[in-house]
Amino acid sequence: MPPKPSSHPTRRALLVGGGAGVGLLLAWELWPREYRANLSLAPGETGLGAFLKIDTAGRVTAVVPQAELGQGIWTALAQALADELGADWRQVGVEPAPVNPLYANRLFAAEWAGEAAPAWAREIAEWAGQRWATDHALMLTAGSTSVRAFEDAFRRAGATARALLCMAAGKRIGADWRACDTEEGFVTRGPDRFRFGELAAEAATFQAPAQPPLRRPGEGGIAGQPLPRLDAAAKVDGTLRYAGDVRLPGMVHAAIRHGPVGDSRLAAQDQAAADGIAGVVGVVRAERWIAVLAETGWAAQRALDRMRPRFATRGDLADSAAIGRALNEALAGGGTRLVTKGSPAASLSGPGVLSATYEVPFAAHAAVEPLVATARVNGDRLEVWMPSQAPGLHRDAIARATGYPPSAVILYPLPAGGGFGRKLEGTAGVEAAILAIHARRPVQLTWSRGEELLAGPPMPPAKARLSARAAAGGRLAAWHAAVATPPPSAVARRLMPGLPGHAGAERGALDGLAPPYAVAEVALAHAPVTTGVPVGAVHGGAHAANAFFVEGFTDELAAAAGLDPLSFRMGLLSPNPRLARCLQQAAAAGGWTGEEKSGQGLAAHAAFGSHIAVLAEAGLDGTDVAVKRLVAVVDCGRVINPDIVAQQIEGGLIWGLGLALGDALGFAAGLPEQRGLADLRLPRLGDAPEIEVQIIPSDAAPGGVAELGVPVAAPALANALFSATGKRLRSLPLRI
C-alpha cells in the first residue's frame, strides 16, 4: 500500500510538486550566488580562502567571524584550523573577520527559524533561515553555536590550505602533491622541507580540491590539547584593545540618558546647569534620549546629571506588579499546546497528580563591560569601533539611522568584556555614529551602569505550571508543562526589522521544558506574554528558566514517590544514556549520599548538543545561602581545548548562581529598581564555591558549552537547599 500523503508539505515536496510559491523557492534555490573573501592583507600576507592568511615569515592568521566574549572562541577555532593545516602553534595568530556572507552563522539561523515555525513547516523554515542568513551576512555569536557552526569550516579551511601548500611544494620537487605532508609549519616529503611562508604566495595560484583530505581530529597534535589561549597574554599585560581603549585624534566623550521604559520622549532639561562644567563641548537632543559631549567622560556625566533631563511617557509605565499579573493571566489561559505525545490530558485527571508552579524574574545581563562605541566620519565613510555579537546587523542598523549606505559604514568589531547576549544589541554604536556626525569629530560614547539597567533589554521573566502522574516503580506516566513568557523571536524581530514572524506561541519558548526522562505521555504549551518591557537575548536561552522548572519539579516527584533523587532520575534515563553517565559520574565524584539533611542537590540537563549533570552542596550561613561546592560532569562531544571547556562550564555555573541568588530586576514607574551592580547582589569572589569540572571523552560531534552551565546551577542549588532545610523553593531568586 502506498504511504498516505502528508497534509503538510516538505521543502522537497514544494520544490518538486509545483504551485505559485514554488517558482519563488526554486528561483531562490537556483539563483547564482558567489561570495568572495574580502580579507585585509598586509604586505607579505597571502590569503588562502576566507579563514586564514600566511605571511612570508610563516605566521598563520586565523580569521574568526565569531566575537571573542571571553569564551575562548578565537583560540578554539584557530586550534581546529591549525591542527588540519599542520601549523606550528607558536606561529598562529587570530583576527576578527570582516562582514561577509561567507561568515554567516547558518546553524543559528536554522535553529531560530525552525523553533519559530509550526512543526509541519520546520524543515522549510530551517532551510529558509540558512539561505536568509547567507544572503544577509548574518554573522552572529549566540546560542552556543560557534564551535558547532564553524569547526567543520575551519577544519576544511586548514585542510584546503594544506593541500595548496603541498601542491606548491610538489611542483618544486616534481612530485605528486599527495605524497607531501605538513608538520609544525613545514611542508615535508622525505628530506625535503619548505616553510609555509616561502610557499604561500605560489600556493594561492593553484586550484583547491573540491573535497580536501581531512585528518582525524587531533592528528596534527593541536586539536584536543589544553593549549594556552591566544588572547591570554594580551589580556594579562593590558595590550588587548577593547572598545573603551580606542583613542582617536580630536575625540570627545559622551554620556547619555534615556527615558523610562515605554513610549518615552524627551520633554525638558536644565540647559544652563551644564554650562558651568569645564570641558563640556555640546549637547545633542534626540526624540528619546539626550547626550552631553565633553573632553572627559567624567565631565560629560557630571553635566548630564546636573541638567536633570525629564521625559514624558505615553501609556502605562512598566511596573513589576502589572507584569506579575500579566504572567498569571497568560498562564491561567493554558497557552497553546505545541508538543503532544500520547493523551496526557486523560492521564492527568483525577487523584494522584502532582502539580507545582515555578517562576523566574527579569534579570540583568550585568556584563563587566557596559556598552561602549566610538565613531568618526572619515571622508565619505563612517567608521565605528564597538564590541559586537552581530556586526552585520549593527552595520546595517547604523546605516539605516544615519542615511549612509551600508558599504560606507566600516564597523570594527572588538573583543567584549562579557556578552551574555547583551552585545547583540547595537544601540550604542548607532548613537555614537549620530553623535559623531553631529559633532563633526570622533565621539566615544559610554553607557553608565544605570543606563545599562534602564535601557538595556533584560532577560525575560517566565512562569510555569507543571503537572505529572507517577506510575508504579518510579516510572512517569504523564507530564504536562505550560510556560508563560514573551516570545523568543521578539528579540530577532527587533534586531532585524522586516523579518517575518509573529507574536504567538513558539517552540523556542519550550527549549528544555521537555523532561529528558522516559515519560509515556507529554504535553508542552507556550502562553505568550506582553510585559511592556522590551526583552533581550537570554544567556542559556529558554533553557535557563525551563531547566529550573523541570529539575526542581523532578525532585518533587522523587520525594512524592519516596525515592532517592538520584535513583529516581537514573531509573528514567534509559532514553538518554549520555546524560545518565554524566549524572552517575557527578554523583560519584561529589560523594552523593542520598541522606536527608545532607545539603546535596542534583540537576541534569541536555542542551546545545551537549549534556551536563551537577551535584551542589549548600546550606545556610545565618539567613544567607552558602554554596559550598559544585561538581559538574560534561559530555560535549569532541573537545578542541579541554581547558576552555572547563573554564566555560565554571563561568556558566557562576553566572547561573548569580541568577539564582542575585536580586530580581524589578520595575516601578518605568524605571528599574536597581541602578548599579551593588544593587544586583551578584556573587563575589569570596562567595564562589569550590568547583570541579570533569569532561567525559567522546568522539561525537562537538556540542556547545559556553551556556551549558547556566541552566543547571539554580535547580541543583534549590534541590540542595531543600535537602538542607526541608523548604522547597520554586521562585528565583532563592530566599529562605
Side-chain angles (χ1 to χ4, degrees):
M1 178 181 294
K4 181 180 179 181
S6 171
S7 60
H8 300 303
T10 65
R11 168 177 167 260
R12 176 176 175 80
L14 280 172
L15 292 174
V16 173
V22 175
L24 293 175
L25 287 172
L26 191 58
W28 198 5
E29 181 81 1
L30 300 180
W31 189 270
R33 290 176 176 85
E34 184 175 336
Y35 302 108
R36 297 181 180 275
N38 57 338
L39 301 181
S40 177
L41 300 174
E45 285 187 327
T46 298
L48 296 177
F51 293 97
L52 80 153
K53 305 185 295 186
I54 300 177
D55 68 14
T56 53
R59 179 175 173 82
V60 176
T61 300
V63 181
V64 180
Q66 300 306 93
E68 179 54 66
L69 310 170
Q71 83 280 38
I73 195 59
W74 280 6
T75 302
L77 291 180
Q79 274 188 256
L81 184 149
D83 190 71
E84 283 287 346
L85 180 60
D88 181 346
W89 185 248
R90 296 169 297 180
Q91 290 190 288
V92 175
V94 65
E95 68 179 40
V99 176
N100 191 303
L102 294 171
Y103 306 118
N105 190 333
R106 290 164 56 87
L107 174 62
F108 180 92
E111 290 185 347
W112 171 80
E115 290 178 344
W120 66 266
R122 194 162 193 172
E123 182 186 359
I124 303 168
E126 289 176 351
W127 165 76
Q130 289 180 331
R131 293 309 302 260
W132 194 94
T134 301
D135 293 341
H136 291 79
L138 186 64
M139 297 168 63
L140 281 176
T141 305
S144 284
T145 57
S146 293
V147 169
R148 292 188 290 147
F150 289 99
E151 188 228 23
D152 183 67
F154 273 76
R155 288 185 62 204
R156 291 184 179 278
T160 298
R162 171 163 47 87
L164 293 172
L165 291 166
C166 287
M167 289 177 184
K171 180 180 178 181
R172 290 194 179 189
I173 61 178
D176 188 332
W177 70 271
R178 298 173 185 83
C180 300
D181 203 354
T182 59
E183 61 178 3
E184 296 183 347
F186 289 87
V187 178
T188 64
R189 180 183 178 273
D192 298 312
R193 291 170 64 84
F194 301 93
R195 292 183 180 275
F196 286 177
E198 61 183 295
L199 296 173
E202 186 179 357
T205 66
F206 287 87
Q207 179 66 41
Q211 296 295 331
L214 292 172
R215 290 171 163 167
R216 296 188 312 276
E219 188 177 339
I222 294 177
Q225 301 302 313
L227 299 179
R229 287 174 53 151
L230 294 177
D231 57 342
K235 285 181 175 177
V236 171
D237 65 21
T239 57
L240 187 67
R241 189 167 68 160
Y242 292 90
D245 298 322
V246 175
R247 293 293 181 269
L248 300 173
M251 187 182 82
V252 294
H253 296 262
I256 197 166
R257 184 71 47 81
H258 301 85
V261 175
D263 188 9
S264 297
R265 288 170 168 78
L266 182 65
Q269 70 282 327
D270 300 334
Q271 177 70 41
D275 295 340
I277 305 296
V280 172
V281 298
V283 176
V284 179
R285 301 167 190 83
E287 185 179 36
R288 298 181 183 276
W289 52 265
I290 183 171
V292 174
L293 307 178
E295 297 295 339
T296 67
W298 181 85
Q301 188 63 54
R302 187 177 178 211
L304 185 63
D305 291 339
R306 285 195 177 185
M307 288 174 62
R308 299 175 54 249
R310 277 90 71 192
F311 294 82
T313 305
R314 301 177 185 174
D316 296 333
L317 291 165
D319 178 80
S320 291
I323 293 167
R325 289 192 295 272
L327 288 168
N328 290 335
E329 290 171 6
L331 192 59
T336 301
R337 184 176 296 182
L338 299 177
V339 175
T340 303
K341 173 186 172 185
S343 303
S347 300
L348 290 172
S349 60
V353 175
L354 183 68
S355 297
T357 300
Y358 283 73
E359 186 171 10
V360 299
F362 284 109
H365 293 85
V368 171
E369 177 192 35
L371 287 192
V372 181
T374 304
R376 75 174 174 190
V377 177
N378 186 4
D380 60 354
R381 301 192 309 174
L382 178 59
E383 297 177 300
V384 180
W385 291 258
M386 62 185 291
S388 174
Q389 291 179 246
L393 295 181
H394 295 164
R395 179 202 62 182
D396 293 346
I398 292 167
R400 287 193 301 271
T402 60
Y404 277 75
S407 59
V409 176
I410 312 301
L411 191 145
Y412 303 103
L414 297 174
F420 316 130
R422 184 66 184 93
K423 267 63 176 192
L424 284 169
E425 308 285 344
T427 316
V430 171
E431 293 169 344
I434 292 172
L435 292 171
I437 293 170
H438 185 277
R440 299 182 181 179
R441 60 193 295 186
V443 174
Q444 183 171 98
L445 170 65
T446 303
W447 282 29
S448 68
R449 186 62 63 179
E451 290 304 297
E452 277 281 309
L453 294 171
L454 168 64
M459 290 171 289
K463 192 165 188 174
R465 180 71 173 171
L466 302 99
S467 301
R469 180 188 292 277
R475 294 180 295 109
L476 283 179
W479 177 287
H480 177 272
V483 60
T485 192
S489 69
V491 179
R493 292 198 304 275
R494 186 180 71 250
L495 297 178
M496 294 174 271
L499 190 71
H502 59 90
E506 297 177 5
R507 293 175 64 93
L510 307 180
D511 285 348
L513 196 61
Y517 309 108
V519 186
E521 299 175 326
V522 176
L524 306 177
H526 173 215
V529 176
T530 300
T531 65
V533 178
V535 295
V538 184
H539 192 44
H543 296 274
N546 290 341
F548 173 63
F549 304 153
V550 169
E551 283 301 276
F553 190 54
T554 298
D555 247 43
E556 294 197 54
L557 291 169
L563 295 174
D564 168 86
L566 173 62
S567 301
F568 182 73
R569 286 177 170 84
M570 291 299 297
L572 296 169
L573 276 173
S574 57
N576 202 331
R578 293 175 69 183
L579 189 59
R581 184 179 178 188
C582 290
L583 181 60
Q584 189 174 43
Q585 189 166 320
W592 172 263
T593 67
E595 298 175 356
E596 293 185 9
K597 304 297 183 181
S598 66
Q600 294 180 324
L602 295 170
H605 195 64
F608 318 114
S610 297
H611 305 76
I612 186 171
V614 170
L615 181 147
E617 291 184 357
L620 295 180
D621 181 5
T623 58
D624 294 330
V625 174
V627 188
K628 303 171 185 176
R629 187 181 179 215
L630 295 173
V631 178
V633 176
V634 178
D635 179 352
C636 58
R638 187 171 63 250
V639 171
I640 298 176
N641 188 313
D643 279 0
I644 290 177
V645 170
Q647 292 162 10
Q648 288 310 293
I649 297 300
E650 291 171 358
L653 291 171
I654 292 294
W655 202 95
L657 288 182
L659 189 64
L661 299 175
D663 227 13
L665 186 62
F667 289 88
L671 300 174
E673 295 175 317
Q674 295 78 15
R675 297 294 289 170
L677 283 179
D679 298 331
L680 296 176
R681 298 179 60 186
L682 298 173
R684 295 174 293 181
L685 184 60
D687 304 319
E690 174 189 347
I691 300 178
E692 177 184 345
V693 178
Q694 296 184 10
I695 303 170
I696 294 177
S698 174
D699 293 326
V705 297
E707 301 174 83
L708 186 63
V710 174
V712 288
L717 177 55
N719 293 337
L721 291 173
F722 173 74
S723 172
T725 67
K727 186 174 182 180
R728 181 67 66 185
L729 302 175
R730 301 187 182 95
S731 299
L732 298 183
L734 302 174
R735 299 283 186 262
I736 299 296

